[in-house]
């Protein structure tokens, strides 16, 4: 952004749609040239974003929202889930659980892809947010269902961090007893023992496309979702049993 002669201002909505709407309004009032928004909710973020898109260039990033009135640049979440499931099944895991949220579009898409592949009876643990505390909560629930689970797909790396720490405290070996995957390939998961298998976003390509759309004529920002291919990064948390 700076290399292109611009300045980046970052604002955190704390996973709250009311805060999100307030911050969008505040930023637009500050005469920013455009907004990249990661929507909090697939169902509730749309109205504030649609209003903002009438006042200036807005592009959604990583997630989309219904009725937003603008384009979204996201990961192909369904393909990402299939990559993870194919990998886990390839190392002999058959009792796979999903830990995710369902408020965001990414969480909803990952849940839908998982249920389509594994069936409605598969173990799913749905959480209100992506935090390490939520991951610890999921870990406790997984331990309660230990006989039904030999692998866990976490919908975010931060969930995997909390989940793995809880499994370790309960003497559940990762990956020997339960294999664990994350999502987003953030730096933190490379530092865990074991390092966590995860999905990597093509961030450079996504960033460039989002910035291009921000600077394009408004007719090029019609409401739609542009999806980018994921990459599976395999680490020790999913070694063969």
């Amino acid at each position: 952004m700076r290399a292109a002669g611009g300045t980046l201002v970052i604002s955190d909505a704390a996973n709250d749609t009311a805060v999100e709407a307030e911050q969008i309004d505040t930023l637009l009032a500050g005469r920013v040239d455009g907004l990249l928004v990661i929507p909090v909710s697939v169902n509730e973020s749309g109205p504030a974003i649609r209003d903002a898109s009438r006042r200036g260039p807005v592009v959604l990033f990583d997630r989309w929202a219904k009725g937003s009135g603008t384009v979204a640049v996201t990961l192909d979440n369904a393909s990402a889930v299939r990559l993870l499931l194919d990998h886990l099944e390839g190392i002999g895991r058959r009792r796979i659980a999903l830990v995710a949220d369902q408020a965001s579009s990414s969480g909803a898409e990952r849940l839908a892809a998982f249920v389509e592949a594994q069936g409605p009876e598969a173990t799913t643990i749905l959480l209100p947010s992506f935090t390490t505390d939520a991951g610890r909560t999921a870990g406790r629930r997984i331990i309660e269902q230990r006989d039904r689970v030999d692998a866990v797909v976490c919908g975010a790396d931060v969930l995997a961090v909390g989940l793995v720490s809880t499994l370790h405290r309960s003497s559940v070996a990762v990956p020997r007893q339960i294999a664990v995957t994350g999502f987003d390939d953030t730096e933190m998961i490379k530092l865990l023992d074991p390092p966590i298998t995860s999905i990597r976003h093509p961030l450079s390509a996504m960033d460039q496309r989002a910035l291009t759309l921000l600077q394009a004529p408004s007719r090029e920002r019609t409401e739609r979702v542009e999806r980018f291919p994921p990459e599976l990064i395999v680490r020790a948390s999913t070694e063969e049993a």
Side-chain angles (χ1 to χ4, degrees), residues 84-103:
L84 291 169
L85 293 176
D86 287 348
H87 170 63
L88 290 169
E89 291 169 0
I91 62 170
R93 306 302 170 124
R94 296 292 180 268
R95 304 186 307 278
I96 304 172
L98 174 74
V99 174
D101 86 314
Q102 56 183 338

Side-chain angles (χ1 to χ4, degrees), residues 96-98 114-115 118-124 148:
I96 304 172
L98 174 74
F114 180 83
V115 171
Q118 301 296 104
E121 302 306 316
T123 301
T124 57
R148 297 183 56 192

Side-chain angles (χ1 to χ4, degrees), residues 11-214:
S11 185
D12 182 5
N15 210 43
D16 186 315
T17 52
V19 174
E20 177 183 56
E22 179 181 305
Q23 290 182 341
I24 287 173
D25 188 63
T26 298
L27 288 168
L28 286 174
R31 301 183 186 279
V32 296
D33 295 316
L35 289 178
L36 283 177
V37 179
I38 303 174
V40 170
S41 169
V42 64
N43 292 313
E44 299 177 18
S45 294
I49 296 169
R50 176 176 285 276
D51 178 65
S53 69
R54 297 189 182 109
R55 299 162 61 189
V58 179
V59 172
L60 306 187
F61 191 80
D62 193 46
R63 302 175 180 178
W64 52 271
K66 294 177 182 177
S68 67
T70 191
V71 63
V73 175
T74 77
L75 188 72
D76 186 338
N77 287 293
S79 294
V81 169
R82 287 193 294 270
L83 280 175
L84 291 169
L85 293 176
D86 287 348
H87 170 63
L88 290 169
E89 291 169 0
I91 62 170
R93 306 302 170 124
R94 296 292 180 268
R95 304 186 307 278
I96 304 172
L98 174 74
V99 174
D101 86 314
Q102 56 183 338
S104 69
S105 65
S106 55
E109 288 181 343
R110 292 165 196 178
L111 173 62
F114 180 83
V115 171
E116 180 180 1
Q118 301 296 104
E121 302 306 316
T123 301
T124 57
I125 297 174
L126 304 180
L127 302 163
S129 62
F130 288 152
T131 64
T132 52
D133 282 343
R136 293 186 188 99
T137 297
R140 291 190 289 271
R141 295 183 189 174
I142 290 294
I143 290 166
E144 293 171 357
Q145 305 176 64
R146 175 69 187 85
D147 59 336
R148 297 183 56 192
V149 178
D150 63 5
V152 181
V153 172
C154 293
D157 287 342
V158 68
L159 293 175
V161 171
L163 185 141
V164 168
S165 69
T166 299
L167 295 181
H168 282 169
R169 285 198 299 272
S170 299
S171 300
V172 177
V174 177
R176 183 172 59 81
Q177 292 174 285
I178 296 181
V180 177
T181 74
F183 221 109
D184 301 327
D185 197 41
T186 54
E187 287 297 319
M188 71 177 80
I189 61 168
K190 304 173 189 177
L191 305 177
L192 295 183
D193 184 18
I196 306 296
T197 292
S198 191
I199 289 291
R200 179 176 294 169
H201 294 56
L203 286 177
S204 293
M206 291 172 66
D207 291 347
Q208 185 58 54
R209 180 57 177 158
L211 289 173
T212 297
L213 287 166
L214 267 182

